[in-house]
Amino acid sequence: MASEYTTSEYIKHHLTNATMCSTDNGIAFNKACADAGFWTWHVDTLAFSIGLGVLFLALFKSVASKATTGVPGKMQAFVELVVDFVDDNVKSTFHGRNALIAPLALTIFVWVLLMNLMDLVPVDLIPWIAGLVGSNVFGMDPHDVYIKAVPTTDINLTFALAAGVFVLIIYYSIKMKGITGFAKELTMQPFGHPLFIPVNFILETVTLLARPLSLALRLFGNLYASELIFILIATIGYFQLPLHFMWAVFHILVLPLQAFIFMMLTIVYLSLACEDH
Amino acid sequence: MNFNATFIGQLIAFAVFVVFCMKYVWPPLMAAIEERQKKIADGLEASERAEKDLELAQAKATEQLKDAKAQAAEIIEQAKKRANQLVDEETQKGHAEREKIIASGYTEIEAERNRAKEDLRKQVAALAVAGAEQILQREIDANAQNDIVEKLVAEL
């Protein structure tokens, strides 16, 4: 914890995204974007998430294009382990053939896991580097350089993932059951009487919308909270060392678990969308 | 935690990543894994088959070994029999030879004896005749008494 901050300033600084927007005077950053409204971009979230996504895809692609059917190398064995793990989960949950579900699950699992793992990077490291770069290269006040390294603590990202899944849920519901089938599912359940159509519609719509909402908020909530605790631990001086260690060890479990839950629920929701009741 | 345009950027990034993964990452990896699974299954099957073949070959070899042993025993038996037969035959032959030799010896001895007897008889006859001649020189012509001498000699 840098000493020139008060604790609340420190926490606030760590929880603020680097933002970018275009104003009348051209592209502006951070505090200049306070009034920009919706058209503001969290450049740190975008950069880290896309960087990690590209890292994941580049790694897996390079293994995939060199993949041998004989004795695999260590890297290939590892990648195949991950792929096989995802494939097993998809096969045990999603019945039927679909070329999209498994790669989707793999992308979600590995990408979310990589983004979650950013949580284990010491909370001050990346902001400190960013502060140095910001003050030395761009001549900014280090206090004005914001950076949030864990993309999954950004609600925009978790909602984007959930929205992607939601679009697929709607798409597969309509594709597998037809528009009438989908409409029937929304209106004739759980009470199979025309009189109950409005009640059913409200209930089913809530059910439908609760899925992406819970996906997004679960991931965001868990990661935001754990990041917050990491930051809080970082404010208490030397005692942070054992505490930080314990919290980090705990997150070796939590971070993959959150990625796994997101993947599994995606598979389950899509499997529900594809099946007739 | 303001909701803003980052959402759109992330949505696009997510879609691009999923499509890329679906097109270029998943199929080759899955193909490699499935190919290897097939190879392993084939290998296991082949090894099982080889094991069975080996068992069969071992059984066959044992069978052949047993046959060969039986055959060898038979051959030895035959050889023994043949040897005994030969020995018997030779013994018999030897016996026969001995008998023959002995028989021929006897005959020869008999002939020799007869010859000796004849000689002796002749000599005795001659001696008798000579003796008688000397005795009778004074009284009788030898020829007149010859038949008596012959009779004497024959009685010998």
Side-chain angles (χ1 to χ4, degrees), chain A residues 43-67:
Chain A
V43 280
D44 47 1
T45 302
L46 283 167
F48 278 111
S49 68
I50 291 171
L52 290 168
V54 168
L55 177 74
F56 148 60
L57 287 173
L59 182 71
F60 275 51
K61 175 79 182 79
S62 81
V63 169
S65 45
K66 283 185 295 189

Side-chain angles (χ1 to χ4, degrees), chain A residues 38 40-42 45-46 49 53 57 60 68-70 76 80 87 100 102-104 107 111 156-157 159-161, chain B residues 1-8 10-11 13-14 17-18 20-22 24-26 28-30 32-33 35-36 39:
Chain A
F38 179 77
T40 315
W41 304 85
H42 288 165
T45 302
L46 283 167
S49 68
L57 287 173
F60 275 51
T68 164
T69 60
Q76 195 189 336
E80 281 182 6
D87 193 46
L100 174 69
L104 173 75
T107 309
W111 192 29
N156 292 297
L157 181 130
F159 265 106
L161 288 177
Chain B
M1 54 160 145
N2 347 336
F3 185 75
N4 56 31
T6 314
F7 173 78
I8 295 168
Q10 293 297 347
L11 200 58
F14 180 43
F17 289 159
V18 170
F20 186 88
C21 183
M22 191 171 86
Y24 303 108
V25 175
W26 189 267
L29 279 173
M30 225 44 218
I33 291 173
E35 177 80 28
R36 180 159 341 95
K39 260 191 195 173

Side-chain angles (χ1 to χ4, degrees), chain A residues 192-253:
Chain A
H193 192 279
L195 216 61
F196 282 109
I197 284 177
V199 180
N200 287 341
F201 184 70
I202 292 167
L203 280 174
E204 285 297 310
T205 308
V206 168
T207 307
L208 193 68
L209 291 177
R211 288 172 183 173
L213 205 65
S214 66
L215 268 183
L217 290 179
R218 180 183 303 105
L219 186 59
F220 166 74
N222 274 286
L223 269 292
Y224 191 82
S226 82
E227 174 77 349
L228 190 62
I229 302 289
F230 270 121
I231 296 168
L232 283 175
I233 287 172
T235 61
I236 60 167
Y238 287 111
F239 287 118
Q240 71 176 276
L241 293 173
L243 275 176
H244 179 272
F245 176 75
M246 276 161 56
W247 192 240
V249 167
F250 178 51
H251 277 78
I252 292 173
L253 173 69

Side-chain angles (χ1 to χ4, degrees), chain A residues 10-19 30 41-50 52 114-131 144-158 219-228 230-231, chain B residues 1-4 6 10:
Chain A
Y10 174 77
I11 293 171
K12 194 155 187 277
H13 183 260
H14 272 283
L15 289 179
T16 306
N17 281 104
T19 52
N30 295 341
W41 304 85
H42 288 165
V43 280
D44 47 1
T45 302
L46 283 167
F48 278 111
S49 68
I50 291 171
L52 290 168
L114 284 175
M115 292 190 290
N116 285 354
L117 286 176
M118 292 301 289
D119 208 11
L120 292 177
V121 177
V123 284
D124 278 336
L125 181 65
I126 291 170
W128 175 66
I129 293 170
D144 281 342
V145 179
Y146 299 105
I147 197 142
K148 231 167 94 181
V150 191
T152 36
T153 57
D154 187 336
I155 204 159
N156 292 297
L157 181 130
T158 60
L219 186 59
F220 166 74
N222 274 286
L223 269 292
Y224 191 82
S226 82
E227 174 77 349
L228 190 62
F230 270 121
I231 296 168
Chain B
M1 54 160 145
N2 347 336
F3 185 75
N4 56 31
T6 314
Q10 293 297 347

Side-chain angles (χ1 to χ4, degrees), chain B residues 11-150:
Chain B
L11 200 58
I12 293 166
F14 180 43
V16 169
F17 289 159
V18 170
V19 168
F20 186 88
C21 183
M22 191 171 86
K23 283 240 154 74
Y24 303 108
V25 175
W26 189 267
L29 279 173
M30 225 44 218
I33 291 173
E34 274 162 10
E35 177 80 28
R36 180 159 341 95
Q37 277 173 337
K38 199 172 151 286
K39 260 191 195 173
I40 291 170
D42 286 354
L44 284 177
E45 200 186 323
S47 88
E48 217 164 278
R49 215 169 35 227
E51 219 165 286
K52 223 173 270 170
D53 280 358
L54 181 68
E55 234 165 74
L56 274 178
Q58 261 169 350
K60 213 169 153 189
T62 316
E63 188 77 11
Q64 275 180 344
L65 199 65
K66 226 166 72 183
D67 275 5
K69 268 185 184 161
Q71 232 166 356
E74 203 180 323
I75 287 167
I76 289 169
E77 195 61 31
Q78 272 181 351
K80 268 188 190 158
K81 234 186 254 169
R82 180 85 188 118
N84 282 343
Q85 207 179 342
L86 277 176
V87 168
D88 278 358
E89 263 172 37
E90 288 305 308
T91 318
Q92 247 159 10
K93 245 192 230 167
H95 276 300
E97 196 75 8
R98 200 183 66 183
E99 295 299 319
K100 222 165 84 186
I101 289 168
I102 289 170
S104 78
Y106 275 127
T107 331
E108 222 165 289
I109 289 164
E110 193 67 25
E112 202 69 27
R113 205 178 64 176
N114 285 347
R115 210 180 314 133
K117 225 156 77 180
E118 198 65 28
D119 268 1
L120 206 57
R121 199 164 50 194
K122 273 180 193 162
Q123 277 177 15
V124 168
L127 203 60
V129 171
E133 216 174 304
Q134 279 176 5
I135 297 161
L136 293 175
Q137 210 134 37
R138 302 158 232 175
E139 26 191 312
I140 325 162
D141 179 30
N143 285 329
Q145 269 71 44
N146 205 31
D147 57 326
I148 301 165
V149 175
E150 282 290 328

